[in-house]
Amino acid sequence: MSRLFSAFSGSGLMARVLRSASWLMVGYGGSQALRLAANLIMTRLLFPEAFGIMTLVTVVIVGLSLFSDIGVGPAIAQNPRGDDPDFLNTAWTIQVFRGCMLFAVACLLTIPVARFYHEPDLVKYLPVGALALLVSGFFPTRIETAHRHLLVGRLTVLDLASQAIGIGFMVIYAELTQSVMALALGGVVSAVAKLILTHFLLPGPVNRFRWERAAADDLIHFGKWIFLSTALTFVISQGDRAILGRYLSIDMLGIYNIGYFLGSFPMMAGLSMIGRIMIPVYRDKPPAENATNRRHLNRLRAGMSLSIGLALLLMAAIGPQLVGLLYDDRYQLAGPMVTLISLAFYPRLVILTYDNVALAMGDSRSYFIVMMVRAVFQILCILVGLAYFGLVGGIVSMALATIASYPAVVWLAFKYGAWDARHDIVAVLAGVLATALILWMHWADIALLSGY
């Protein structure tokens, strides 16, 4: 026990990694627990079509956010000037301008998006949901500074508090009105709460509007490839729902979104931790520098893969039973979706953290190349899967896209000495055996989706 406590104590890199990883997991776990509780309450107050409409609102908002991201967070994490007030204030100024522009663009896109999806209610709900983009532009850079130094305890508490405030408002509003507007306003209230809490309770200097040419040049030079890469991230993370919004009925899309939430939970939890931790780790302990760094990083990566992999397989195994326990009969088709989505995410274990090494080394161009390959395969596989095998094919295609893009990811990892072939082989073999067993267990449930 004393050895365990000593591993978490001190100011060394690994101690900060362990503490930050613990806080990030607590934060993400708590966030998803709150989200699940809200989801269970809202599914009883509202109707499946409401979640389908909000899925489309989320796709547009996340799409705008990703299509315009210049990587302010990763830039602060890896840049030598990441603690310089002039650099931080310039980054904040860019962030504020971006938030204002995103809100304006969302309002302009409202009618075209509503027509594209044949859903006139989007005209009412999309501009309201997009207010969160405007508010988030004013978030202080102290948030990114805390992540840069792997000091995220207080930030985690503030994140959970702001989410709880938003959910509380959403539930009360839904109880009073039974309106989809509750879902749209919930995210806005959470963003406002986070802005206020982090401004007053997170330590650090207050941001001011500032434009330093050198800082702006650094941010833009690093961010130009991030800008393109995050546009591709939208395709990878939201492409399935953007395409299914045209393919499925609005109520079935809402059911799919619930299945996706549960099935993707373990991977999203892992990614939320890895994205924040591995850039500082790779930055301070480059794997190509010496064998000791490489060995420590391989162990860290293996531990992450094991924990996330077991959680994915467990979720796949209990998916139908879990949905049957938590939701009423209107949502039962989400059960086999949970199983398929969890299994579709498993191949991503093999490529976890490899893309972070490029960002840690400031090589956003190579990162963009890999993301482009992944995005192209994702779209092609989903379209082919849907055309020939329906909804089941569309879900399975996400796994096939990850497998097809593996050579590009290996190229990136090998470039910086981060490739661990033994880890990848073991993960693949374990995944094949577990997937076969779980598909055999739930084949009858999965067959129910064949008609969609």
Side-chain angles (χ1 to χ4, degrees), residues 13-263:
L13 176 64
M14 290 311 297
R16 286 184 288 128
V17 167
L18 290 172
R19 289 197 300 269
S20 293
S22 300
W23 274 113
L24 288 169
M25 290 305 295
V26 167
Y28 190 85
S31 173
Q32 296 307 300
L34 287 172
R35 186 180 171 191
L36 176 60
N39 191 272
L40 293 175
I41 296 172
M42 298 301 283
T43 54
R44 286 157 174 78
L45 294 175
L46 300 177
F47 38 90
E49 291 86 350
F51 299 95
I53 293 171
M54 200 59 206
T55 297
L56 295 177
V57 171
T58 302
V59 165
V60 175
I61 291 174
V62 172
L64 286 174
S65 181
L66 292 177
F67 268 97
S68 63
D69 189 1
I70 63 168
V72 168
I76 292 174
Q78 65 84 220
N79 196 287
R81 295 186 62 197
D83 294 314
D84 184 336
D86 287 334
F87 185 88
L88 293 173
N89 285 329
T90 301
W92 184 75
T93 301
I94 293 173
Q95 181 179 282
V96 170
F97 175 76
R98 172 176 171 266
C100 295
M101 291 298 298
L102 288 179
F103 175 70
V105 172
C107 292
L108 291 174
L109 287 177
T110 297
I111 293 177
V113 169
R115 289 176 177 173
F116 179 79
Y117 285 112
H118 307 294
E119 190 55 55
D121 285 343
L122 288 174
V123 174
K124 180 167 46 175
Y125 300 120
L126 181 53
V128 175
L131 284 170
L133 296 172
L134 178 64
V135 174
S136 62
F138 290 86
F139 286 168
T141 57
R142 283 170 280 176
I143 294 172
E144 302 304 335
T145 299
H147 286 297
R148 171 181 169 85
H149 296 290
L150 300 174
L151 302 170
V152 296
R154 185 179 300 190
L155 179 59
T156 299
V157 174
L158 297 180
D159 279 339
L160 291 175
S162 60
Q163 184 180 2
I165 291 169
I167 289 174
F169 172 87
M170 181 175 64
V171 170
I172 293 171
Y173 194 91
E175 176 68 31
L176 294 174
T177 66
Q178 282 77 52
S179 169
V180 182
M181 189 62 75
L183 297 172
L185 284 172
V188 179
V189 173
S190 289
V192 172
K194 181 174 180 177
L195 175 62
I196 295 172
L197 292 175
T198 54
H199 178 79
F200 287 104
L201 300 179
L202 202 61
V206 176
N207 288 119
R208 307 291 183 190
F209 286 107
R210 176 81 167 92
W211 188 265
E212 186 201 81
R213 181 62 181 270
D217 288 345
D218 283 347
L219 288 162
I220 294 170
H221 176 73
F222 179 80
K224 63 184 179 181
W225 293 109
I226 297 293
F227 174 83
L228 296 171
S229 300
T230 51
L232 299 173
T233 300
F234 167 76
V235 175
I236 295 170
S237 64
Q238 301 287 325
D240 59 326
R241 278 152 289 180
I243 296 172
L244 289 172
R246 290 276 292 186
Y247 182 84
L248 298 177
S249 63
I250 196 68
D251 59 330
M252 193 64 179
L253 181 64
I255 294 171
Y256 174 83
N257 198 51
I258 290 173
Y260 188 92
F261 163 61
L262 294 173

Side-chain angles (χ1 to χ4, degrees), residues 356-369:
N356 297 115
V357 68
L359 295 178
M361 300 300 128
D363 185 6
S364 53
R365 180 177 180 274
S366 294
Y367 176 78
F368 163 73
I369 292 172

Side-chain angles (χ1 to χ4, degrees), residues 319-333:
Q321 291 80 10
L322 182 63
V323 170
L325 177 66
L326 297 177
Y327 296 92
D328 60 49
D329 292 341
R330 295 174 298 169
Y331 300 94
Q332 292 312 297
L333 281 176

Side-chain angles (χ1 to χ4, degrees), residues 322-360:
L322 182 63
V323 170
L325 177 66
L326 297 177
Y327 296 92
D328 60 49
D329 292 341
R330 295 174 298 169
Y331 300 94
Q332 292 312 297
L333 281 176
M337 292 181 191
V338 172
T339 296
L340 286 177
I341 290 168
S342 296
L343 295 178
F345 271 105
Y346 185 90
R348 294 196 187 183
L349 285 177
V350 181
I351 63 175
L352 277 183
T353 80
Y354 283 153
D355 51 357
N356 297 115
V357 68
L359 295 178

Side-chain angles (χ1 to χ4, degrees), residues 302-330:
M304 291 177 174
S305 296
L306 179 62
S307 57
I308 298 170
L310 289 176
L312 278 172
L313 295 174
L314 175 62
M315 186 63 73
I318 67 172
Q321 291 80 10
L322 182 63
V323 170
L325 177 66
L326 297 177
Y327 296 92
D328 60 49
D329 292 341
R330 295 174 298 169

